[in-house]
Tab-separated table of all heavy atoms in Angstrom:
chain	number	residue	atom	x	y	z
A	1	SER	N	-18.379	-25.175	-12.030
A	1	SER	CA	-18.766	-23.777	-11.784
A	1	SER	C	-17.516	-22.926	-11.670
A	1	SER	O	-16.505	-23.372	-11.138
A	1	SER	CB	-19.545	-23.646	-10.472
A	1	SER	OG	-20.638	-24.515	-10.422
A	2	GLU	N	-17.599	-21.701	-12.171
A	2	GLU	CA	-16.516	-20.744	-11.955
A	2	GLU	C	-16.814	-20.040	-10.637
A	2	GLU	O	-17.895	-19.469	-10.464
A	2	GLU	CB	-16.459	-19.737	-13.092
A	2	GLU	CG	-16.037	-20.358	-14.410
A	2	GLU	CD	-15.979	-19.362	-15.548
A	2	GLU	OE1	-16.174	-18.142	-15.309
A	2	GLU	OE2	-15.750	-19.797	-16.682
A	3	VAL	N	-15.879	-20.108	-9.711
A	3	VAL	CA	-16.068	-19.516	-8.390
A	3	VAL	C	-14.867	-18.654	-8.040
A	3	VAL	O	-13.861	-18.652	-8.742
A	3	VAL	CB	-16.269	-20.608	-7.309
A	3	VAL	CG1	-17.546	-21.403	-7.566
A	3	VAL	CG2	-15.080	-21.536	-7.228
A	4	LYS	N	-14.972	-17.913	-6.955
A	4	LYS	CA	-13.854	-17.122	-6.437
A	4	LYS	C	-13.722	-17.400	-4.961
A	4	LYS	O	-14.706	-17.604	-4.268
A	4	LYS	CB	-14.096	-15.628	-6.659
A	4	LYS	CG	-14.067	-15.223	-8.107
A	4	LYS	CD	-14.240	-13.747	-8.240
A	4	LYS	CE	-14.212	-13.357	-9.708
A	4	LYS	NZ	-14.129	-11.919	-9.862
A	5	GLY	N	-12.504	-17.405	-4.477
A	5	GLY	CA	-12.288	-17.637	-3.055
A	5	GLY	C	-10.817	-17.551	-2.714
A	5	GLY	O	-9.984	-17.237	-3.558
A	6	PHE	N	-10.511	-17.854	-1.464
A	6	PHE	CA	-9.118	-17.900	-1.042
A	6	PHE	C	-8.993	-18.805	0.162
A	6	PHE	O	-9.949	-19.039	0.887
A	6	PHE	CB	-8.554	-16.513	-0.733
A	6	PHE	CG	-9.176	-15.845	0.465
A	6	PHE	CD1	-8.658	-16.029	1.736
A	6	PHE	CD2	-10.283	-15.027	0.316
A	6	PHE	CE1	-9.228	-15.411	2.834
A	6	PHE	CE2	-10.858	-14.404	1.402
A	6	PHE	CZ	-10.337	-14.596	2.671
A	7	GLY	N	-7.829	-19.349	0.344
A	7	GLY	CA	-7.505	-20.167	1.510
A	7	GLY	C	-6.295	-19.562	2.172
A	7	GLY	O	-6.261	-18.361	2.431
A	8	ARG	N	-5.289	-20.372	2.381
A	8	ARG	CA	-4.043	-19.867	2.969
A	8	ARG	C	-3.366	-18.860	2.065
A	8	ARG	O	-2.567	-18.058	2.504
A	8	ARG	CB	-3.094	-21.032	3.226
A	8	ARG	CG	-3.565	-21.930	4.321
A	8	ARG	CD	-2.539	-22.995	4.600
A	8	ARG	NE	-3.043	-23.896	5.629
A	8	ARG	CZ	-2.564	-25.085	5.854
A	8	ARG	NH1	-1.554	-25.535	5.133
A	8	ARG	NH2	-3.073	-25.834	6.794
A	9	GLN	N	-3.696	-18.916	0.799
A	9	GLN	CA	-3.106	-18.035	-0.195
A	9	GLN	C	-3.389	-16.560	0.128
A	9	GLN	O	-2.580	-15.692	-0.150
A	9	GLN	CB	-3.722	-18.395	-1.543
A	9	GLN	CG	-2.921	-18.028	-2.730
A	9	GLN	CD	-3.549	-18.597	-3.994
A	9	GLN	OE1	-4.516	-19.357	-3.955
A	9	GLN	NE2	-3.011	-18.239	-5.126
A	10	LYS	N	-4.544	-16.285	0.679
A	10	LYS	CA	-4.958	-14.933	1.093
A	10	LYS	C	-4.920	-13.896	-0.027
A	10	LYS	O	-4.688	-12.734	0.201
A	10	LYS	CB	-4.082	-14.438	2.249
A	10	LYS	CG	-4.118	-15.308	3.478
A	10	LYS	CD	-5.350	-15.041	4.301
A	10	LYS	CE	-5.252	-15.617	5.685
A	10	LYS	NZ	-5.574	-17.028	5.788
A	11	GLY	N	-5.130	-14.310	-1.253
A	11	GLY	CA	-5.159	-13.366	-2.362
A	11	GLY	C	-3.760	-12.906	-2.733
A	11	GLY	O	-2.766	-13.473	-2.305
A	12	HIS	N	-3.691	-11.844	-3.536
A	12	HIS	CA	-2.401	-11.299	-3.934
A	12	HIS	C	-2.563	-9.847	-4.349
A	12	HIS	O	-3.672	-9.349	-4.487
A	12	HIS	CB	-1.801	-12.128	-5.081
A	12	HIS	CG	-2.627	-12.109	-6.328
A	12	HIS	ND1	-3.691	-12.960	-6.525
A	12	HIS	CD2	-2.550	-11.341	-7.439
A	12	HIS	CE1	-4.237	-12.715	-7.708
A	12	HIS	NE2	-3.573	-11.737	-8.279
A	13	THR	N	-1.445	-9.135	-4.533
A	13	THR	CA	-1.498	-7.739	-4.962
A	13	THR	C	-1.186	-7.660	-6.456
A	13	THR	O	-0.404	-8.442	-6.987
A	13	THR	CB	-0.485	-6.875	-4.177
A	13	THR	OG1	0.813	-7.413	-4.374
A	13	THR	CG2	-0.818	-6.840	-2.709
A	14	GLU	N	-1.832	-6.711	-7.112
A	14	GLU	CA	-1.597	-6.479	-8.531
A	14	GLU	C	-1.411	-4.997	-8.767
A	14	GLU	O	-1.845	-4.164	-7.964
A	14	GLU	CB	-2.779	-6.980	-9.367
A	14	GLU	CG	-2.877	-8.475	-9.462
A	14	GLU	CD	-3.932	-8.951	-10.440
A	14	GLU	OE1	-4.538	-8.096	-11.137
A	14	GLU	OE2	-4.141	-10.166	-10.522
A	15	LEU	N	-0.779	-4.671	-9.866
A	15	LEU	CA	-0.595	-3.280	-10.252
A	15	LEU	C	-1.545	-2.952	-11.390
A	15	LEU	O	-1.654	-3.715	-12.354
A	15	LEU	CB	0.846	-3.060	-10.736
A	15	LEU	CG	1.647	-2.099	-9.859
A	15	LEU	CD1	2.335	-2.895	-8.792
A	15	LEU	CD2	2.581	-1.307	-10.695
A	16	TYR	N	-2.250	-1.837	-11.283
A	16	TYR	CA	-3.135	-1.388	-12.347
A	16	TYR	C	-2.938	0.108	-12.514
A	16	TYR	O	-3.187	0.886	-11.586
A	16	TYR	CB	-4.593	-1.710	-12.016
A	16	TYR	CG	-5.568	-1.244	-13.070
A	16	TYR	CD1	-5.640	-1.897	-14.298
A	16	TYR	CD2	-6.387	-0.152	-12.853
A	16	TYR	CE1	-6.516	-1.477	-15.279
A	16	TYR	CE2	-7.276	0.275	-13.826
A	16	TYR	CZ	-7.335	-0.390	-15.037
A	16	TYR	OH	-8.202	0.035	-16.013
A	17	ARG	N	-2.436	0.516	-13.670
A	17	ARG	CA	-2.152	1.931	-13.960
A	17	ARG	C	-1.308	2.573	-12.859
A	17	ARG	O	-1.586	3.676	-12.397
A	17	ARG	CB	-3.443	2.702	-14.172
A	17	ARG	CG	-4.187	2.247	-15.405
A	17	ARG	CD	-5.349	3.138	-15.700
A	17	ARG	NE	-6.026	2.679	-16.909
A	17	ARG	CZ	-7.046	3.308	-17.444
A	17	ARG	NH1	-7.515	4.401	-16.892
A	17	ARG	NH2	-7.589	2.846	-18.538
A	18	GLY	N	-0.334	1.842	-12.423
A	18	GLY	CA	0.601	2.371	-11.431
A	18	GLY	C	0.135	2.281	-9.990
A	18	GLY	O	0.901	2.562	-9.069
A	19	ALA	N	-1.111	1.904	-9.772
A	19	ALA	CA	-1.636	1.784	-8.406
A	19	ALA	C	-1.666	0.309	-8.009
A	19	ALA	O	-2.062	-0.548	-8.797
A	19	ALA	CB	-3.031	2.384	-8.309
A	20	GLU	N	-1.252	0.029	-6.792
A	20	GLU	CA	-1.263	-1.344	-6.294
A	20	GLU	C	-2.570	-1.593	-5.559
A	20	GLU	O	-3.032	-0.748	-4.796
A	20	GLU	CB	-0.081	-1.527	-5.336
A	20	GLU	CG	0.234	-2.962	-5.025
A	20	GLU	CD	1.495	-3.099	-4.198
A	20	GLU	OE1	2.590	-3.192	-4.778
A	20	GLU	OE2	1.359	-3.088	-2.958
A	21	TYR	N	-3.171	-2.725	-5.824
A	21	TYR	CA	-4.388	-3.077	-5.097
A	21	TYR	C	-4.386	-4.559	-4.785
A	21	TYR	O	-3.716	-5.348	-5.436
A	21	TYR	CB	-5.650	-2.656	-5.855
A	21	TYR	CG	-5.882	-3.382	-7.148
A	21	TYR	CD1	-6.768	-4.453	-7.215
A	21	TYR	CD2	-5.227	-3.004	-8.319
A	21	TYR	CE1	-6.988	-5.131	-8.390
A	21	TYR	CE2	-5.447	-3.682	-9.507
A	21	TYR	CZ	-6.325	-4.734	-9.532
A	21	TYR	OH	-6.530	-5.408	-10.708
A	22	VAL	N	-5.175	-4.938	-3.766
A	22	VAL	CA	-5.210	-6.324	-3.304
A	22	VAL	C	-6.379	-7.055	-3.950
A	22	VAL	O	-7.506	-6.555	-3.959
A	22	VAL	CB	-5.346	-6.384	-1.760
A	22	VAL	CG1	-5.474	-7.825	-1.291
A	22	VAL	CG2	-4.154	-5.712	-1.106
A	23	VAL	N	-6.106	-8.226	-4.516
A	23	VAL	CA	-7.150	-9.085	-5.052
A	23	VAL	C	-7.416	-10.151	-3.994
A	23	VAL	O	-6.599	-11.041	-3.786
A	23	VAL	CB	-6.701	-9.742	-6.385
A	23	VAL	CG1	-7.767	-10.697	-6.895
A	23	VAL	CG2	-6.368	-8.685	-7.413
A	24	ASP	N	-8.526	-9.998	-3.269
A	24	ASP	CA	-8.833	-10.907	-2.163
A	24	ASP	C	-9.309	-12.276	-2.641
A	24	ASP	O	-8.958	-13.287	-2.057
A	24	ASP	CB	-9.926	-10.316	-1.258
A	24	ASP	CG	-9.406	-9.142	-0.457
A	24	ASP	OD1	-8.197	-9.090	-0.197
A	24	ASP	OD2	-10.225	-8.283	-0.090
A	25	PHE	N	-10.132	-12.289	-3.648
A	25	PHE	CA	-10.722	-13.537	-4.106
A	25	PHE	C	-10.086	-13.967	-5.418
A	25	PHE	O	-10.115	-13.241	-6.403
A	25	PHE	CB	-12.240	-13.393	-4.264
A	25	PHE	CG	-12.928	-13.150	-2.958
A	25	PHE	CD1	-13.341	-11.885	-2.592
A	25	PHE	CD2	-13.140	-14.193	-2.082
A	25	PHE	CE1	-13.969	-11.669	-1.383
A	25	PHE	CE2	-13.761	-13.988	-0.865
A	25	PHE	CZ	-14.178	-12.726	-0.517
């Protein structure tokens, strides 16, 4: 199954069109 989640990693930040946002899962 394709799933989404996080552990100790706690997601990461990405840049999209100059704006930074957090990817939680």
Side-chain angles (χ1 to χ4, degrees):
S1 306
E2 292 180 5
V3 296
K4 292 183 180 191
F6 67 89
R8 291 184 183 162
Q9 203 173 354
K10 301 280 195 278
H12 63 276
T13 58
E14 287 188 5
L15 244 90
Y16 179 72
R17 294 188 179 183
E20 195 174 272
Y21 66 99
V22 176
V23 177
D24 289 333
F25 295 102

